[in-house]
Amino acid sequence: VSQTGEVSLPRPLTSFIGRDRELAEARRLLEKARLLTLTGPGGSGKTRLSIELARSQAGDFPDGIYFVPLAPVRDARLVASTIARQLGLRESADRSLAAQLAHHLRGRRILLVLDNFEHVAAAATLLAELLADTELLRLLVSSLSALRVSGEQECPVPVRHTYSSRRGSSSQHGRRT
Ligand SMILES: Nc1ncnc2c1ncn2[C@@H]1O[C@H](COP(=O)(O)OP(=O)(O)OP(=O)(O)O)[C@@H](O)[C@H]1O
Ligand SMILES: [Mg+2]
């Protein structure tokens, strides 16, 4: 049971500060819900919190934790293939990619961390489909606003001015905008 799977998360260059309360609250919510969405304005710390939370969950997801950056993805129809690539899943032509993803994820205790989902909000239906077609999959999403998918649990991440003063000094999350 203490088996640990692949954990592929970005390694932030600065150390994580504070946020004990938010982290504890997010952890509690992730135990209850299969889709947890961290919401808040740009720069509020959603990505950092998701990385920190995911890292602490390694023991709960023996089949792996995968970070999927969606900021560079401008078309919601590309979300499925972006997730598949991150999972190392080889696409085949005989059925829909959503079905292949669900098949791959079924029975696996995997946490997908989907970053900057606001760029591809229309893909919320894909997430709903994946959750409906699997039992153990959990999703940790960061987005400017909630996805409004059934079963979603929202966790607001308020701005902390101590971090905003550092904005721009560290671009470790591949910010392109
Ligand atoms: N708890 C923290 N400790 C240290 N640095 C932090 C913390 N939270 C956020 N930061 C830093 O503040 C900046 C913004 O945080 P982050 O990228 O997580 O925000 P975000 O809400 O994901 O922003 P966006 O909506 O633009 O994606 C980053 O440089 C990040 O490293
Ligand atoms: Mg972010």
Side-chain angles (χ1 to χ4, degrees):
V1 189
S2 60
Q3 175 203 356
T4 308
E6 176 175 348
V7 177
S8 83
L9 289 167
R11 294 213 161 268
L13 303 174
T14 56
S15 51
F16 188 79
I17 308 165
R19 294 287 194 187
D20 290 344
R21 223 166 32 136
E22 286 94 339
L23 201 51
E25 173 68 357
R27 188 173 291 131
R28 187 183 71 79
L29 294 172
L30 189 61
E31 272 167 30
K32 293 199 316 185
R34 293 180 59 210
L35 167 58
L36 178 63
T37 306
L38 304 179
T39 58
S44 70
K46 303 177 292 296
T47 299
R48 274 306 284 266
L49 192 64
S50 74
I51 295 170
E52 198 69 15
L53 173 59
R55 199 177 299 291
S56 75
Q57 299 286 305
D60 289 341
F61 295 95
D63 296 307
I65 297 177
Y66 299 88
F67 186 87
V68 186
L70 295 168
V73 178
R74 296 290 156 171
D75 186 334
R77 286 169 301 182
L78 297 175
V79 170
S81 58
T82 306
I83 294 173
R85 201 173 327 119
Q86 216 57 241
L87 289 168
L89 181 68
R90 213 176 325 170
E91 301 179 32
S92 63
D94 58 335
R95 52 185 171 159
S96 81
L97 192 50
Q100 291 173 56
L101 272 177
H103 179 80
H104 177 84
L105 294 167
R106 209 168 290 142
R108 290 199 160 111
R109 217 170 264 283
I110 284 178
L111 176 66
L112 287 181
V113 184
L114 303 168
D115 197 45
N116 284 111
F117 204 81
E118 68 279 350
H119 288 287
V120 290
T125 52
L126 169 71
L127 302 191
E129 219 175 302
L130 292 177
L131 289 171
D133 289 349
T134 58
E135 277 143 42
L136 305 173
L137 174 67
R138 299 226 166 194
L139 303 174
L140 176 58
V141 173
S142 74
S143 174
L144 295 182
S145 55
L147 276 48
R148 314 240 171 268
V149 162
S150 91
E152 176 183 39
Q153 182 64 243
E154 183 180 354
C155 180
V157 180
V159 175
R160 288 279 177 85
H161 293 286
T162 35
Y163 312 135
S164 31
S165 62
R166 303 168 174 234
R167 269 195 96 178
S169 62
S170 54
S171 54
Q172 68 269 29
H173 304 319
R175 294 175 54 84
R176 287 184 183 84
T177 50

